[in-house]
Amino acid sequence: MDRENEYKLLDSLFDELFPLCRSITGYGIEASMEIISRYMPLQFDRVKSGTQVFDWQVPPQWNFCRARLWDPNGNVVCDTNINNLHVVSYSEPVDQFLTLDELLPHLHSLPDMPEAIPYVTSYYKRTWGFCLKHSDKQMLQPGRYRVLIESEFDPEGGVPFAQTTLEGENSKEILLSSYLCHPSLANNELSGPLVLLGLYNRLSKWPTRHYSYRFLLNPETIGSLCFLYKNYQSLSDNLEAGLILTCLGGDVDTLRYKASRKGNTTYDQLANHLASHKQLRYVDFTPLHGSDERQYCAPGFNLPVAQVSRSLNIAKVPYHTSLDNKESMNMARIIQSIDELEKLLQLGEVAGVAVNQSPFGEPQLGKRGLYPNMNTLEHTNKSSDNLVDGRTKLNAILTILSDSDGTKSMVQIAESLNLTLFQMVPIIKELEQHGLIKFNTGEVL
Amino acid sequence: MDRENEYKLLDSLFDELFPLCRSITGYGIEASMEIISRYMPLQFDRVKSGTQVFDWQVPPQWNFCRARLWDPNGNVVCDTNINNLHVVSYSEPVDQFLTLDELLPHLHSLPDMPEAIPYVTSYYKRTWGFCLKHSDKQMLQPGRYRVLIESEFDPEGGVPFAQTTLEGENSKEILLSSYLCHPSLANNELSGPLVLLGLYNRLSKWPTRHYSYRFLLNPETIGSLCFLYKNYQSLSDNLEAGLILTCLGGDVDTLRYKASRKGNTTYDQLANHLASHKQLRYVDFTPLHGSDERQYCAPGFNLPVAQVSRSLNIAKVPYHTSLDNKESMNMARIIQSIDELEKLLQLGEVAGVAVNQSPFGEPQLGKRGLYPNMNTLEHTNKSSDNLVDGRTKLNAILTILSDSDGTKSMVQIAESLNLTLFQMVPIIKELEQHGLIKFNTGEVL
Amino acid sequence: MDRENEYKLLDSLFDELFPLCRSITGYGIEASMEIISRYMPLQFDRVKSGTQVFDWQVPPQWNFCRARLWDPNGNVVCDTNINNLHVVSYSEPVDQFLTLDELLPHLHSLPDMPEAIPYVTSYYKRTWGFCLKHSDKQMLQPGRYRVLIESEFDPEGGVPFAQTTLEGENSKEILLSSYLCHPSLANNELSGPLVLLGLYNRLSKWPTRHYSYRFLLNPETIGSLCFLYKNYQSLSDNLEAGLILTCLGGDVDTLRYKASRKGNTTYDQLANHLASHKQLRYVDFTPLHGSDERQYCAPGFNLPVAQVSRSLNIAKVPYHTSLDNKESMNMARIIQSIDELEKLLQLGEVAGVAVNQSPFGEPQLGKRGLYPNMNTLEHTNKSSDNLVDGRTKLNAILTILSDSDGTKSMVQIAESLNLTLFQMVPIIKELEQHGLIKFNTGEVL
């Protein structure tokens, strides 16, 4: 797939997914997963409503049809057929008449942003409500309002998630995950799944993969907890690193990498290295806000999961409002995010800990063409019989072999050599081909 | 007991204890312990003379009655009925006449402090001697002096110590200890036992105690070694922290905390934290001087025992002289020491390592009233449905839960939040009440 | 042996060894070892040609007799009877006539140093060649040259090495090693073996040795690998530190210590300490250049082996050329190196980790004459009953006893006391004599 087709696919997929009324359960999210599964072979799973998942109980499934509010004159004030954000997510079914005073506690608007419809949820405390522009709310007159919310709670439903894996050379795994539960929001919703799909397509074309790559879609928070509920042991055994993909269409130049709680994983080190070369922005883990990394990094799990985003200026385009739409997002930035993340993942393949496979003394490099075979003063600038480079390459080789004892990552070795990891990639690959180093063995010399 | 009665009790106890001629063994120290046991339920123990205690042999018991020195004219030069400091502690019995030249090597005075009687001991090398003001010594005329020291060494005696424990919720223990072996000295003797008694009374009234608190009185050095000889295994298993109480009546503003040799115990961290808020003075451990912490912190034991003091300016009021008396000490400072140490111990209850009891993902805080149940932009300043505080409390809760993995103390968490531990106490207690964190489990996630 | 005889011995030994045509195998190196074995009881060993030694195959033995090159007029251009450097080491046998054009690829010279004969080797890729001054090469005229290289490869030979040990009090061992494979070079060859012999003579006269000292001679690189092949397990079990001796006759003031890869061994700490007092120069380990320490410090071995040298200015006197001769070296500097290394080894005996043998409380120092027996203000400046020194000695004793828990080296303790280790030697020895500390127990309190 060339770049033009990639763009067209993601652009039209955006338009198809945007109007669906998603929540953490129900028709909207399941339909969205089905649509994406046309392009990547997703396996579907779910955890049943009522199940105790760690400290949480899986809520009943919210099957939502439509919500409307009419003013005393019969004019439509809110209709989810016009904008899904009008209903408080997980509103209970209502069909009644109320005075304005009775209605007002159920109306949500943003006085500071009078033209934005806010996005409001109440998954775990039963209520109902409408969201509308503050300017519209101000116009409401006293009288008898009609409320009709067509929804039902299905105790036999469940929280869905969907995943697929591209297998690699060994059992170590990279998790790439995004959430899919917000209705009709753009950067803070669809950008993540679109980048996930883009990366799936890119990585499926790589000639080799050291790691296996698992691609995961779930509703935020409860979805990642349900996924962990069913998959924690496997992640604990095999996960080398993970990235939560969120808000990746913002119109800003650099990706922002929020490190894992561990703070020193292979990807954390790599991101720090790239940040020192201004290729992304690195921030430490915090449990105070963010996305599903908060669950993966909870102290009982403490998995090596980071988060990446390309956030808008949230003062200008606040999330969780109707202002987060396709116009304020930037589809070209989504492609840029895919490009930059593919590069990050490529470097990630050789960023970790390798082990010298011939560690007892120096290996005899000369017989492999990696050292001058004749020892003379004339050769002190040569990396091999024919390569005159001031020994740059030979110094890198000797340093990699000396440091690859199973405790030092290739990122650390690159930094000790004042090279970028990118510059070292061909040398690393040559040493791998000669069988002199091996990644991901878990061995320590 | 109100503060006025507390003061009166300690003040009259001081006066009762001051005249007794204590040493590391014998009538004086045992009578002193008996008197204190009227106010706290002490259990008495002893290690017999002759016992090999680590590198030391327990000395015979020194039963001392009276020591006198008369000049050639029959005038009394020294009499321990006037001041106990006149005799070198552990002087052997003597009844003889000497010339001034024969006598002089047995007389101890301080040329630089001519009006002070020094306090001199010779526990492990048999000798005898008198201590007197240098000004008095200067006046002595040649002639025939009479020496009469009424004492005896009892090989069947022993080194006594006395202790009591206030039980807490778990087996982890705090040791509070002072020494009781100096005769007629004030700050560098009685201040410690008085503060110990004051703390016993305060802590016995606490509604709950996480830790058990052991209160111990012993003669300095040999007494703590004898205590360790009989109790080391229990301390090694259970001791969370200890404080040696010494010189706590000095007329200075701040307590001085000398850290344990480990330097990073719960109390060391807490004291460092308080020092950074100017609430006490923190100094590192040294084996070069101090009190019984030198024995507890010897490398074979290496117990988490610190020392606290409120020292006078020793240039103005030198210890181990008759100048260390009730006038140079300050009884109000003893009460202040009790106040400050009670506060330290209270904070110590929540200063250590807690473990998140719901560490698999974030706990569902909303159902406990610790998180806003509705998710809307309006709630980003709320810590719960009703508390609008810029999320200060919620941020503290999320940080405590994220960091309480069994490796990080609450002091460290407070400092990472730029809060004092004191400010965090109500939040910590609320999380404890909800069962979300638990102290002293020893568990690491 | 007094210093004058020591000088004469080493000076005449230099003259005897210099003319031999050494290589990594063969008559020259074996004869050199035999000569040195007159002065130290060397045991000889070898690894047979063809043996796979880690990543290397032991080469056949090169038995070399003589190499000559005649110009078209029959004049001798190169003759190894005049200078051994004229032949490329490991040249195959040749007896033929060539034109100048055919000959030139086999001639090695240094255009930038026209008066130096370079030293060239090709151990693992079969070839032949001559080395000569560039000024001589420039004069060669077209015509028919005669080449005669008398050498043979013996597949039944092997790589030799030779060693002897001075036994110490315990099984911990120090390795002192130099290489012996360069022909007719001075500082970068004979200085090392001469210093090794000098140290053997010095250490054999020490009254006691904590460590055993192993003295080793081998051809560089392949020789140390062969030694490791046969002795690695014993080194891994017992080696406390090692020093590769190289280039120790250079006319510069200070020794240069290249640390082991571990970087924190007893000797590394000691050398760092001495460097902070300007007594030597300390550099970190690098795998990029050096001598046999590159093999010992390879990550599979990671042995505590450092390297010491007294290097010339290699811009003025380049190694691996005929300019590295007795005139550019300095025999007095070799004696100085022996002096300085003997002092380093003496300090090394007490530089490591000692363990307090009476660690349960303070030992009773008074009964050993190490503490004032009478406790009085007058004695606060005394280290014992008779030593008035401001407690300098007593403070050192108390610090050593407190810190000697099996984790802290005596170098670290000296630095924490702001003393040099040299200043602490008498105190350390006194504590050893009293049985209060013991080195090399491996115990941790």
Side-chain angles (χ1 to χ4, degrees), chain C residues 291-312:
Chain C
S291 180
D292 285 331
E293 75 281 2
R294 289 162 59 173
Q295 309 311 319
Y296 290 99
C297 294
F301 300 129
N302 200 24
L303 290 164
V305 175
Q307 184 234 67
V308 283
S309 64
R310 166 170 263 120
S311 287
L312 297 166

PDB file of all heavy atoms in Angstrom, chain C residues 291-312:
ATOM      1  N   SER C 291      46.775  -4.016  26.323  1.00  0.00           N
ATOM      2  CA  SER C 291      47.505  -5.264  26.231  1.00  0.00           C
ATOM      3  C   SER C 291      46.606  -6.406  26.711  1.00  0.00           C
ATOM      4  O   SER C 291      45.394  -6.410  26.423  1.00  0.00           O
ATOM      5  CB  SER C 291      48.796  -5.137  27.050  1.00  0.00           C
ATOM      6  OG  SER C 291      49.534  -6.339  26.996  1.00  0.00           O
ATOM      7  N   ASP C 292      47.157  -7.353  27.437  1.00  0.00           N
ATOM      8  CA  ASP C 292      46.415  -8.557  27.788  1.00  0.00           C
ATOM      9  C   ASP C 292      45.210  -8.313  28.687  1.00  0.00           C
ATOM     10  O   ASP C 292      44.339  -9.174  28.796  1.00  0.00           O
ATOM     11  CB  ASP C 292      47.351  -9.564  28.455  1.00  0.00           C
ATOM     12  CG  ASP C 292      48.271 -10.240  27.448  1.00  0.00           C
ATOM     13  OD1 ASP C 292      47.853 -10.376  26.282  1.00  0.00           O
ATOM     14  OD2 ASP C 292      49.380 -10.618  27.815  1.00  0.00           O
ATOM     15  N   GLU C 293      45.126  -7.149  29.345  1.00  0.00           N
ATOM     16  CA  GLU C 293      43.932  -6.863  30.151  1.00  0.00           C
ATOM     17  C   GLU C 293      42.681  -6.913  29.289  1.00  0.00           C
ATOM     18  O   GLU C 293      41.582  -7.181  29.806  1.00  0.00           O
ATOM     19  CB  GLU C 293      44.067  -5.504  30.860  1.00  0.00           C
ATOM     20  CG  GLU C 293      43.892  -4.268  29.985  1.00  0.00           C
ATOM     21  CD  GLU C 293      45.142  -3.950  29.178  1.00  0.00           C
ATOM     22  OE1 GLU C 293      46.130  -4.708  29.274  1.00  0.00           O
ATOM     23  OE2 GLU C 293      45.136  -2.944  28.440  1.00  0.00           O
ATOM     24  N   ARG C 294      42.795  -6.670  27.977  1.00  0.00           N
ATOM     25  CA  ARG C 294      41.628  -6.773  27.087  1.00  0.00           C
ATOM     26  C   ARG C 294      41.045  -8.182  27.104  1.00  0.00           C
ATOM     27  O   ARG C 294      39.839  -8.356  26.935  1.00  0.00           O
ATOM     28  CB  ARG C 294      42.019  -6.386  25.663  1.00  0.00           C
ATOM     29  CG  ARG C 294      42.282  -4.914  25.501  1.00  0.00           C
ATOM     30  CD  ARG C 294      43.070  -4.579  24.251  1.00  0.00           C
ATOM     31  NE  ARG C 294      42.434  -5.014  23.024  1.00  0.00           N
ATOM     32  CZ  ARG C 294      42.890  -4.713  21.804  1.00  0.00           C
ATOM     33  NH1 ARG C 294      43.984  -3.953  21.670  1.00  0.00           N
ATOM     34  NH2 ARG C 294      42.279  -5.146  20.737  1.00  0.00           N
ATOM     35  N   GLN C 295      41.903  -9.192  27.245  1.00  0.00           N
ATOM     36  CA  GLN C 295      41.409 -10.574  27.281  1.00  0.00           C
ATOM     37  C   GLN C 295      40.826 -10.901  28.664  1.00  0.00           C
ATOM     38  O   GLN C 295      39.732 -11.440  28.772  1.00  0.00           O
ATOM     39  CB  GLN C 295      42.523 -11.557  26.915  1.00  0.00           C
ATOM     40  CG  GLN C 295      43.260 -11.213  25.613  1.00  0.00           C
ATOM     41  CD  GLN C 295      42.329 -10.931  24.443  1.00  0.00           C
ATOM     42  OE1 GLN C 295      41.314 -11.613  24.247  1.00  0.00           O
ATOM     43  NE2 GLN C 295      42.641  -9.895  23.661  1.00  0.00           N
ATOM     44  N   TYR C 296      41.555 -10.549  29.720  1.00  0.00           N
ATOM     45  CA  TYR C 296      41.078 -10.869  31.075  1.00  0.00           C
ATOM     46  C   TYR C 296      39.758 -10.151  31.372  1.00  0.00           C
ATOM     47  O   TYR C 296      38.927 -10.651  32.125  1.00  0.00           O
ATOM     48  CB  TYR C 296      42.123 -10.458  32.123  1.00  0.00           C
ATOM     49  CG  TYR C 296      43.367 -11.315  32.108  1.00  0.00           C
ATOM     50  CD1 TYR C 296      44.526 -10.896  31.460  1.00  0.00           C
ATOM     51  CD2 TYR C 296      43.383 -12.557  32.735  1.00  0.00           C
ATOM     52  CE1 TYR C 296      45.673 -11.679  31.443  1.00  0.00           C
ATOM     53  CE2 TYR C 296      44.532 -13.350  32.721  1.00  0.00           C
ATOM     54  CZ  TYR C 296      45.666 -12.905  32.065  1.00  0.00           C
ATOM     55  OH  TYR C 296      46.786 -13.697  32.058  1.00  0.00           O
ATOM     56  N   CYS C 297      39.594  -8.958  30.797  1.00  0.00           N
ATOM     57  CA  CYS C 297      38.397  -8.154  31.077  1.00  0.00           C
ATOM     58  C   CYS C 297      37.292  -8.365  30.050  1.00  0.00           C
ATOM     59  O   CYS C 297      36.266  -7.676  30.110  1.00  0.00           O
ATOM     60  CB  CYS C 297      38.765  -6.677  31.162  1.00  0.00           C
ATOM     61  SG  CYS C 297      39.829  -6.283  32.566  1.00  0.00           S
ATOM     62  N   ALA C 298      37.465  -9.288  29.115  1.00  0.00           N
ATOM     63  CA  ALA C 298      36.362  -9.572  28.187  1.00  0.00           C
ATOM     64  C   ALA C 298      35.141  -9.981  29.013  1.00  0.00           C
ATOM     65  O   ALA C 298      35.287 -10.544  30.095  1.00  0.00           O
ATOM     66  CB  ALA C 298      36.768 -10.677  27.223  1.00  0.00           C
ATOM     67  N   PRO C 299      33.927  -9.666  28.518  1.00  0.00           N
ATOM     68  CA  PRO C 299      32.757  -9.785  29.395  1.00  0.00           C
ATOM     69  C   PRO C 299      32.487 -11.193  29.918  1.00  0.00           C
ATOM     70  O   PRO C 299      31.906 -11.339  30.986  1.00  0.00           O
ATOM     71  CB  PRO C 299      31.606  -9.269  28.519  1.00  0.00           C
ATOM     72  CG  PRO C 299      32.099  -9.309  27.122  1.00  0.00           C
ATOM     73  CD  PRO C 299      33.576  -9.133  27.185  1.00  0.00           C
ATOM     74  N   GLY C 300      32.903 -12.229  29.194  1.00  0.00           N
ATOM     75  CA  GLY C 300      32.697 -13.583  29.697  1.00  0.00           C
ATOM     76  C   GLY C 300      33.587 -13.907  30.888  1.00  0.00           C
ATOM     77  O   GLY C 300      33.237 -14.723  31.730  1.00  0.00           O
ATOM     78  N   PHE C 301      34.765 -13.258  30.961  1.00  0.00           N
ATOM     79  CA  PHE C 301      35.668 -13.446  32.106  1.00  0.00           C
ATOM     80  C   PHE C 301      35.441 -12.337  33.133  1.00  0.00           C
ATOM     81  O   PHE C 301      35.212 -12.598  34.302  1.00  0.00           O
ATOM     82  CB  PHE C 301      37.130 -13.414  31.658  1.00  0.00           C
ATOM     83  CG  PHE C 301      37.524 -14.457  30.653  1.00  0.00           C
ATOM     84  CD1 PHE C 301      38.194 -14.118  29.483  1.00  0.00           C
ATOM     85  CD2 PHE C 301      37.234 -15.799  30.880  1.00  0.00           C
ATOM     86  CE1 PHE C 301      38.570 -15.074  28.564  1.00  0.00           C
ATOM     87  CE2 PHE C 301      37.614 -16.773  29.958  1.00  0.00           C
ATOM     88  CZ  PHE C 301      38.278 -16.402  28.790  1.00  0.00           C
ATOM     89  N   ASN C 302      35.563 -11.112  32.680  1.00  0.00           N
ATOM     90  CA  ASN C 302      35.383  -9.925  33.540  1.00  0.00           C
ATOM     91  C   ASN C 302      36.199 -10.044  34.832  1.00  0.00           C
ATOM     92  O   ASN C 302      35.680  -9.819  35.927  1.00  0.00           O
ATOM     93  CB  ASN C 302      33.891  -9.745  33.860  1.00  0.00           C
ATOM     94  CG  ASN C 302      33.581  -8.323  34.314  1.00  0.00           C
ATOM     95  OD1 ASN C 302      34.313  -7.382  33.987  1.00  0.00           O
ATOM     96  ND2 ASN C 302      32.531  -8.161  35.084  1.00  0.00           N
ATOM     97  N   LEU C 303      37.460 -10.374  34.674  1.00  0.00           N
ATOM     98  CA  LEU C 303      38.325 -10.537  35.846  1.00  0.00           C
ATOM     99  C   LEU C 303      38.868  -9.179  36.300  1.00  0.00           C
ATOM    100  O   LEU C 303      38.939  -8.233  35.522  1.00  0.00           O
ATOM    101  CB  LEU C 303      39.468 -11.502  35.495  1.00  0.00           C
ATOM    102  CG  LEU C 303      39.007 -12.963  35.315  1.00  0.00           C
ATOM    103  CD1 LEU C 303      40.080 -13.773  34.606  1.00  0.00           C
ATOM    104  CD2 LEU C 303      38.675 -13.590  36.663  1.00  0.00           C
ATOM    105  N   PRO C 304      39.269  -9.089  37.558  1.00  0.00           N
ATOM    106  CA  PRO C 304      39.683  -7.785  38.124  1.00  0.00           C
ATOM    107  C   PRO C 304      41.105  -7.411  37.736  1.00  0.00           C
ATOM    108  O   PRO C 304      41.937  -7.157  38.600  1.00  0.00           O
ATOM    109  CB  PRO C 304      39.541  -8.023  39.630  1.00  0.00           C
ATOM    110  CG  PRO C 304      39.838  -9.477  39.803  1.00  0.00           C
ATOM    111  CD  PRO C 304      39.265 -10.152  38.582  1.00  0.00           C
ATOM    112  N   VAL C 305      41.382  -7.370  36.443  1.00  0.00           N
ATOM    113  CA  VAL C 305      42.756  -7.170  35.976  1.00  0.00           C
ATOM    114  C   VAL C 305      42.922  -5.774  35.370  1.00  0.00           C
ATOM    115  O   VAL C 305      42.169  -5.384  34.488  1.00  0.00           O
ATOM    116  CB  VAL C 305      43.133  -8.259  34.946  1.00  0.00           C
ATOM    117  CG1 VAL C 305      44.510  -7.985  34.368  1.00  0.00           C
ATOM    118  CG2 VAL C 305      43.091  -9.631  35.611  1.00  0.00           C
ATOM    119  N   ALA C 306      43.900  -5.059  35.871  1.00  0.00           N
ATOM    120  CA  ALA C 306      44.224  -3.720  35.394  1.00  0.00           C
ATOM    121  C   ALA C 306      45.543  -3.761  34.630  1.00  0.00           C
ATOM    122  O   ALA C 306      46.132  -4.821  34.450  1.00  0.00           O
ATOM    123  CB  ALA C 306      44.326  -2.770  36.579  1.00  0.00           C
ATOM    124  N   GLN C 307      45.984  -2.619  34.178  1.00  0.00           N
ATOM    125  CA  GLN C 307      47.251  -2.544  33.445  1.00  0.00           C
ATOM    126  C   GLN C 307      48.035  -1.363  33.977  1.00  0.00           C
ATOM    127  O   GLN C 307      47.444  -0.312  34.264  1.00  0.00           O
ATOM    128  CB  GLN C 307      46.916  -2.369  31.953  1.00  0.00           C
ATOM    129  CG  GLN C 307      48.092  -2.364  31.023  1.00  0.00           C
ATOM    130  CD  GLN C 307      48.111  -1.124  30.135  1.00  0.00           C
ATOM    131  OE1 GLN C 307      48.306   0.001  30.612  1.00  0.00           O
ATOM    132  NE2 GLN C 307      47.874  -1.325  28.857  1.00  0.00           N
ATOM    133  N   VAL C 308      49.337  -1.524  34.124  1.00  0.00           N
ATOM    134  CA  VAL C 308      50.167  -0.380  34.530  1.00  0.00           C
ATOM    135  C   VAL C 308      51.274  -0.146  33.519  1.00  0.00           C
ATOM    136  O   VAL C 308      51.834  -1.095  32.960  1.00  0.00           O
ATOM    137  CB  VAL C 308      50.800  -0.564  35.924  1.00  0.00           C
ATOM    138  CG1 VAL C 308      49.778  -0.313  37.020  1.00  0.00           C
ATOM    139  CG2 VAL C 308      51.430  -1.929  36.069  1.00  0.00           C
ATOM    140  N   SER C 309      51.576   1.108  33.285  1.00  0.00           N
ATOM    141  CA  SER C 309      52.609   1.450  32.318  1.00  0.00           C
ATOM    142  C   SER C 309      53.268   2.768  32.714  1.00  0.00           C
ATOM    143  O   SER C 309      52.741   3.543  33.501  1.00  0.00           O
ATOM    144  CB  SER C 309      52.005   1.582  30.917  1.00  0.00           C
ATOM    145  OG  SER C 309      51.094   2.662  30.889  1.00  0.00           O
ATOM    146  N   ARG C 310      54.432   2.975  32.166  1.00  0.00           N
ATOM    147  CA  ARG C 310      55.133   4.259  32.248  1.00  0.00           C
ATOM    148  C   ARG C 310      55.514   4.560  30.814  1.00  0.00           C
ATOM    149  O   ARG C 310      56.598   4.229  30.348  1.00  0.00           O
ATOM    150  CB  ARG C 310      56.359   4.125  33.165  1.00  0.00           C
ATOM    151  CG  ARG C 310      57.340   5.257  33.090  1.00  0.00           C
ATOM    152  CD  ARG C 310      58.381   5.149  34.199  1.00  0.00           C
ATOM    153  NE  ARG C 310      57.986   6.004  35.294  1.00  0.00           N
ATOM    154  CZ  ARG C 310      57.744   5.612  36.531  1.00  0.00           C
ATOM    155  NH1 ARG C 310      57.869   4.349  36.857  1.00  0.00           N
ATOM    156  NH2 ARG C 310      57.361   6.475  37.453  1.00  0.00           N
ATOM    157  N   SER C 311      54.558   5.131  30.083  1.00  0.00           N
ATOM    158  CA  SER C 311      54.710   5.235  28.641  1.00  0.00           C
ATOM    159  C   SER C 311      55.538   6.446  28.262  1.00  0.00           C
ATOM    160  O   SER C 311      55.439   7.506  28.858  1.00  0.00           O
ATOM    161  CB  SER C 311      53.340   5.346  27.980  1.00  0.00           C
ATOM    162  OG  SER C 311      52.707   4.100  28.031  1.00  0.00           O
ATOM    163  N   LEU C 312      56.326   6.240  27.242  1.00  0.00           N
ATOM    164  CA  LEU C 312      57.015   7.336  26.586  1.00  0.00           C
ATOM    165  C   LEU C 312      56.005   8.213  25.880  1.00  0.00           C
ATOM    166  O   LEU C 312      54.853   7.830  25.696  1.00  0.00           O
ATOM    167  CB  LEU C 312      57.949   6.758  25.522  1.00  0.00           C
ATOM    168  CG  LEU C 312      59.047   5.878  26.080  1.00  0.00           C
ATOM    169  CD1 LEU C 312      59.679   5.107  24.937  1.00  0.00           C
ATOM    170  CD2 LEU C 312      60.086   6.794  26.738  1.00  0.00           C
TER     171      LEU C 312
END
